[in-house]
Amino acid sequence: MMNCGVGMNNKNALKVEAWRAEQAAKGVEVERAAPGWQLAIFGAVLSLVDLIFNQRWLLAAILDRFATAETVRGALEGSVYVNSERVDDELVQDYLSLARDKAAAVEVLRQIYTNDGGPLPFPAADALGDDFPILAVWGDQDKLAPMTGPVKVLP
């Protein structure tokens, strides 16, 4: 399974333009992901994110500040679960348990935000061929990547 949005972090958004240029060289037109100036600004922001998230002491302070039951519950209710009644104390504690080993939690956060986002999904999808069935399951109330957002509905 692959995250077809952009990858584990947003760095793959910068790779999309290079992939688009490769497609154009093959005679395949693909809509630009964003104007060049926006990609340049986004690249600068991601460089700043790398700088910040490579500071383990800062990540530890952020973890101390935000790894609370109240914050986790609010994030789950506001961004993940459509039905907030499904967010119970046990679920919140499961998420918080991941932060108990502080050194490991800091390293995981650092790697999520600073590592390469991995391969783009487009070449893998192209290799499947037109007659290969794909089941895409997407909640019509998805809060993280809504179907009306920039990812859009697949044909």
Side-chain angles (χ1 to χ4, degrees), residues 137-151:
V137 179
W138 199 335
D140 61 359
Q141 296 178 345
D142 190 325
K143 292 181 176 185
L144 293 176
M147 291 193 295
T148 57
V151 178

Side-chain angles (χ1 to χ4, degrees), residues 87-141:
V87 180
D88 59 14
D89 291 340
E90 183 179 356
L91 179 66
V92 170
Q93 289 306 312
D94 281 348
Y95 274 88
L96 285 172
S97 71
L98 301 172
R100 284 193 190 119
D101 181 343
K102 192 171 178 178
V106 164
E107 184 58 19
V108 167
L109 283 174
R110 189 190 72 74
Q111 287 188 26
I112 286 173
Y113 289 102
T114 62
N115 281 358
D116 182 79
L120 291 174
F122 314 121
D126 286 343
L128 296 176
D130 293 338
D131 60 344
F132 191 88
I134 296 176
L135 173 62
V137 179
W138 199 335
D140 61 359
Q141 296 178 345

